[in-house]
């Protein structure tokens, strides 16, 4: 259920365009602003306060929405006028000039808050004092940010605008719909993460690298188009013969390539491993770097391997988009099942997974893909994630 934490009738009308059932709840929140905030920071802070106040006492399954609109004239925030004199002051400032209208939108779902802001540039025509006084006497300006309502009589004051009309009214629905979709997917992934933790308490990397960062880099490179099981088997003899980066750097290339032949693509892989060992020693003094940009310098290392290293070795947030991950998260409904681009999927999934859970989630989803959600015959009947899976529901 959507809960709109606002008493604004205009926002109620706009949220109806989403076509989803909702209820309204008045939420009292602090509207004072600290100094030094940008306009976007100011409206998102106010919207967040309203949404979080509205979420008090509600179910985590509900989506609570807060919004706040401010008009900014030369960086001065213009909220609702205190009285008619204040309304006249605001309208006089805006007369014949451009100003910014920003609406902050916040969504609280499952204990997580997402917030963003939309901006519209509005230009007033030159107003006479008589026009301003006549408009103020209608009473319309008194509950409007900037002392006017573009959807009412105040629309006659506006010469032009650039941006979203709904944003000026007080609720950018396209932005809101995007936040709701992200919040719902994120809550869903949070529940999936918890279920996977119950199924697989130990989130172990399938590559048995013994805690050595260098070995994980080597094994990650060997894993391209090869099973983890095969990599683990080949690595036993490989590291007996080349136990250190120095040994691999100094290896005879043909012999190194032959040693990794069972993993496939042995010519390229052997060359990459020898070059990687040399790079590690010459540029990084034998210590694996801990940034994406530096890890991508190693031959044959793409974002998948780099994320594996960042997550397992350095404990950083990381999303490893291997074939199991891509297949299963698509089936779960995080993105269309037809989407197979690893980088695009990484960008989609990063905000949906808790940063401190993402690396372990990837290990668990791989195991789940081997045990249950297999490529050819997913075991949807009896699957512990079926109630959260779009693919299972469609079947």
């Amino acid at each position: 259920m959507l809960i709109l934490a606002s008493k604004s009738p205009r926002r109620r009308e706009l949220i109806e365009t989403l076509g989803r059932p909702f209820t309204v709840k008045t939420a009292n929140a602090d509207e004072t602003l600290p100094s030094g905030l940008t306009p976007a920071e100011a409206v998102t802070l106010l919207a967040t306060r309203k949404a979080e106040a509205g979420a008090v006492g509600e179910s985590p399954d509900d989506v609570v929405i807060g919004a706040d609109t401010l008009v900014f004239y030369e960086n001065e925030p213009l909220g609702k006028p205190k009285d008619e004199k204040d309304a006249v002051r605001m309208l006089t400032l805006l007369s014949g000039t451009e100003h910014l209208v920003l609406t902050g939108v916040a969504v609280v779902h499952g204990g997580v808050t997402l917030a963003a802001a939309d901006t519209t540039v509005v230009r007033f025509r030159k107003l006479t004092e008589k026009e301003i006084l006549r408009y103020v006497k209608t009473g319309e300006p008194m509950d409007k940010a900037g002392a006017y309502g573009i959807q009412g009589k105040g629309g006659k004051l506006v010469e032009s605008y650039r941006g979203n009309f709904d944003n000026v009214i007080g609720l950018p629905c396209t932005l809101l719909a995007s936040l709701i979709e992200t919040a719902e997917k994120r809550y869903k992934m949070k529940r999936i993460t918890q279920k996977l933790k119950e199924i697989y308490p130990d989130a172990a990397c399938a590559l048995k690298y013994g805690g050595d960062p260098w070995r994980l880099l080597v094994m990650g490179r060997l894993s391209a188009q090869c099973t983890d099981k095969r990599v683990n088997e080949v690595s036993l003899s490989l590291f007996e013969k080349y136990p250190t980066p120095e040994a691999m750097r100094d290896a005879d290339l043909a012999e190194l390539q032959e040693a990794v032949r069972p993993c496939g693509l042995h010519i390229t892989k052997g060359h990459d491993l020898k070059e990687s060992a040399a790079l590690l020693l010459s540029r990084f003094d034998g210590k694996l770097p801990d940034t994406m940009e530096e890890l991508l310098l190693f031959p044959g290392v793409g974002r998948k391997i780099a994320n594996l290293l960042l997550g397992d070795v350095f404990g950083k947030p990381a999303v490893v988009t291997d074939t199991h991950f891509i297949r299963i998260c698509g089936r779960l409904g995080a993105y269309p099942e037809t989407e197979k681009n690893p980088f695009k999927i990484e960008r989609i999934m990063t905000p949906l997974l808790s940063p401190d859970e993402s690396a372990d989630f990837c290990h668990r989803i791989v195991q789940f893909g081997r045990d249950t959600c297999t490529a050819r015959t997913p075991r949807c009947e009896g699957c512990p994630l079926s109630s959260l899976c779009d693919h299972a529901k469609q079947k």
Side-chain angles (χ1 to χ4, degrees), residues 129-335:
E129 183 179 351
K130 185 176 181 179
E131 283 180 303
I132 292 174
L133 290 172
R134 185 166 59 241
Y135 177 57
V136 170
K137 288 299 182 182
T138 67
E140 185 179 86
M142 303 316 296
D143 66 339
K144 309 288 194 302
Y148 75 96
I150 196 171
Q151 75 280 9
K153 299 180 178 67
K156 297 180 180 180
L157 312 179
V158 176
E159 181 178 282
S160 63
Y161 68 89
R162 302 192 305 274
N164 185 352
F165 184 80
D166 289 349
N167 181 57
V168 187
I169 299 176
L171 193 66
C173 291
T174 301
L175 175 62
L176 173 60
S178 176
L179 285 177
I180 291 173
E181 180 183 13
T182 300
E184 290 180 331
K185 286 183 176 180
R186 189 167 179 172
Y187 182 49
K188 178 178 176 178
M189 296 310 300
K190 179 180 178 180
R191 296 171 64 192
I192 289 170
T193 298
Q194 185 56 45
K195 282 187 174 291
L196 288 174
K197 288 173 70 174
E198 294 170 3
I199 301 169
Y200 306 108
D202 298 320
C205 178
L207 298 174
K208 308 303 181 183
Y209 66 101
D212 184 337
W214 160 248
R215 292 194 175 196
L216 184 57
L217 185 148
V218 170
M219 297 175 75
R221 179 67 188 97
L222 293 178
S223 68
Q225 300 184 38
C226 182
T227 65
D228 293 340
K229 180 180 179 182
R230 175 63 59 85
V231 172
N232 287 331
E233 293 170 351
V234 171
S235 295
L236 291 175
S237 58
L238 179 68
F239 290 127
E240 282 184 9
K241 189 170 185 178
Y242 309 107
T244 64
E246 290 84 356
M248 199 164 287
R249 177 198 61 192
D250 299 334
D252 178 82
L253 178 57
E255 291 182 2
L256 177 59
Q257 290 169 333
E258 189 61 30
V260 300
R261 178 186 286 274
C263 293
L265 304 175
H266 66 290
I267 300 297
T268 302
K269 289 180 180 180
H271 176 270
D272 287 349
L273 294 183
K274 186 175 175 66
E275 292 296 313
S276 291
L279 178 64
L280 181 72
L281 294 166
S282 64
R283 180 161 179 169
F284 300 106
D285 296 324
K287 184 178 180 182
L288 198 69
D290 64 351
T291 68
M292 173 65 73
E293 294 73 20
E294 290 174 312
L295 289 170
L296 292 177
L297 296 175
F298 288 86
V301 172
R303 295 187 65 87
K304 173 186 168 183
I305 299 175
N307 273 310
L308 176 65
L309 293 163
L310 290 173
D312 276 50
V313 175
F314 302 106
K316 293 186 174 184
V319 176
V320 182
T321 53
D322 82 331
T323 54
H324 292 291
F325 185 100
I326 291 172
R327 178 181 73 253
I328 298 170
C329 291
R331 286 176 177 173
L332 291 170
Y335 43 81

Side-chain angles (χ1 to χ4, degrees), residues 25-189:
K25 177 180 181 179
T26 301
N28 297 317
D30 179 14
E31 296 193 14
T32 60
L33 289 170
S35 60
L37 296 181
T38 65
E41 289 170 342
V43 293
T44 52
L45 174 61
L46 294 174
T48 296
R49 287 174 179 171
K50 291 181 179 180
E52 292 181 347
V56 174
E58 302 298 337
S59 167
D61 294 334
D62 293 323
V63 178
V64 183
I65 301 160
D68 201 278
T69 302
L70 289 176
V71 171
F72 287 84
Y73 175 74
E74 295 184 351
N75 289 324
E76 177 189 352
L78 305 179
K80 298 175 183 178
K82 301 173 184 176
D83 49 35
E84 290 188 355
K85 182 179 178 181
D86 195 29
V88 170
R89 178 188 72 85
M90 293 182 184
L91 293 169
T92 301
L93 284 174
L94 301 179
S95 174
T97 66
E98 282 189 341
H99 59 272
L100 302 179
V101 181
L102 283 91
T103 296
V105 180
V107 171
V108 178
H109 186 36
V112 175
T113 302
L114 300 178
D118 200 356
T119 303
T120 303
V121 180
V122 179
R123 173 175 283 278
F124 268 24
R125 60 183 177 81
K126 186 65 177 178
L127 307 176
T128 66
E129 183 179 351
K130 185 176 181 179
E131 283 180 303
I132 292 174
L133 290 172
R134 185 166 59 241
Y135 177 57
V136 170
K137 288 299 182 182
T138 67
E140 185 179 86
M142 303 316 296
D143 66 339
K144 309 288 194 302
Y148 75 96
I150 196 171
Q151 75 280 9
K153 299 180 178 67
K156 297 180 180 180
L157 312 179
V158 176
E159 181 178 282
S160 63
Y161 68 89
R162 302 192 305 274
N164 185 352
F165 184 80
D166 289 349
N167 181 57
V168 187
I169 299 176
L171 193 66
C173 291
T174 301
L175 175 62
L176 173 60
S178 176
L179 285 177
I180 291 173
E181 180 183 13
T182 300
E184 290 180 331
K185 286 183 176 180
R186 189 167 179 172
Y187 182 49
K188 178 178 176 178
M189 296 310 300

